[in-house]
Amino acid sequence: MTTLENLTEHLVLERSAQDLLFREARTANAFTDEPVTDEQVQAIYDLVKWAPTSFNQQPLRVKLIRSEGARARLVEHMWDNNKQKTASAPLVAVLAADDDFHENLPTQFPFFPEAKDAFFGDPTVRAESATLNTALQVAYFILGVRAAGLAAGPMSGFDAEKVAAEFFPGGKHRALVVVNIGRPGENAWWGRLPRLEYDEVFSTE
């Protein structure tokens, strides 16, 4: 019989790190008052920036919400229960996609600098690619938060257009996810929800 113990033998990452990043990690709904420092955020980014994207695209743009005024403006555009969670988290980050990411491709993908125009000159194609690769970077960011010993509370329940207009004026950035960040507080977790089993996801030909 396949068990967790013999499955972990096939992974190089230590069991404690596996649990920290995946098995024991949850979406946090409550946090302590302990602040999240700029140095912690910088360390998170310095780790996750190395994760892969297509053409080495780096469309992720992040707005850290620290001031009371900015927090109030963001909370106004959150939905329902997300308002209180966002109002009380030690740090909130708005993660957005930069639809002009291709301007950086000549330096970020120097093997083929012409990719900027050859593949991403069409705004529709560029927006689709920005959405996909920003989503990848969002996932890496959440894992980075966990790697720092913090908890993440990612949310998509907000008025994305108004948040983008408020914090990324100019129309070139689309807000995708709002992430609350901090040390988990009392009753931070909901119960672990089930996942699909291997045979429900994988098939072989």
Side-chain angles (χ1 to χ4, degrees):
M1 177 182 293
T2 301
T3 66
L4 176 60
E5 294 304 323
N6 60 37
L7 284 176
T8 57
E9 294 177 0
H10 299 280
L11 301 175
V12 175
L13 196 66
E14 291 185 3
R15 172 66 182 273
S16 60
Q18 298 171 29
D19 291 342
L20 177 69
L21 296 178
F22 296 100
R23 294 192 188 91
E24 295 180 2
R26 312 280 181 87
T27 293
N29 298 290
F31 300 89
T32 69
D33 294 331
E34 181 177 341
V36 177
T37 67
D38 287 336
E39 289 75 15
Q40 286 173 299
V41 178
Q42 290 168 11
I44 290 167
Y45 181 67
D46 192 61
L47 176 65
V48 303
K49 70 183 182 182
W50 301 110
T53 58
S54 60
F55 284 91
N56 197 33
Q57 296 174 36
Q58 296 168 55
L60 176 68
R61 300 294 180 267
V62 182
K63 180 75 71 172
L64 298 178
I65 307 300
R66 289 199 178 277
S67 71
E68 291 184 7
R71 183 75 62 109
R73 284 155 44 211
L74 177 60
V75 168
E76 181 180 352
H77 302 307
M78 302 301 294
W79 295 347
D80 303 326
N81 294 335
N82 290 339
K83 290 181 179 290
Q84 179 56 39
K85 289 188 288 187
T86 303
S88 59
L91 177 64
V92 185
V94 181
L95 278 56
D98 181 359
D99 285 337
D100 281 343
F101 71 88
H102 67 313
E103 296 293 348
N104 292 315
L105 282 183
T107 55
Q108 299 305 310
F109 199 70
F111 314 101
F112 184 41
E114 295 83 0
K116 170 183 178 293
D117 298 313
F119 293 110
F120 302 108
D122 184 325
T124 300
V125 172
R126 194 163 66 241
E128 291 176 353
S129 190
T131 299
L132 170 61
N133 286 280
T134 302
L136 288 173
Q137 290 188 285
V138 167
Y140 301 141
F141 180 80
I142 292 169
L143 289 176
V145 170
R146 294 173 175 180
L150 301 170
M155 300 168 291
S156 58
F158 59 93
D159 190 320
E161 290 187 3
K162 290 182 179 178
V163 169
E166 188 73 49
F167 296 101
F168 298 98
K172 295 296 185 181
H173 297 63
R174 291 174 290 111
L176 298 185
V177 182
V178 173
V179 183
N180 294 330
I181 305 169
R183 300 283 182 186
E186 186 176 357
N187 299 319
W189 319 118
W190 293 343
R192 169 67 81 191
L193 295 173
R195 300 297 196 267
L196 293 176
E197 295 298 331
Y198 179 88
D199 291 340
E200 296 177 280
V201 176
F202 288 81
S203 61
T204 303
E205 293 188 13

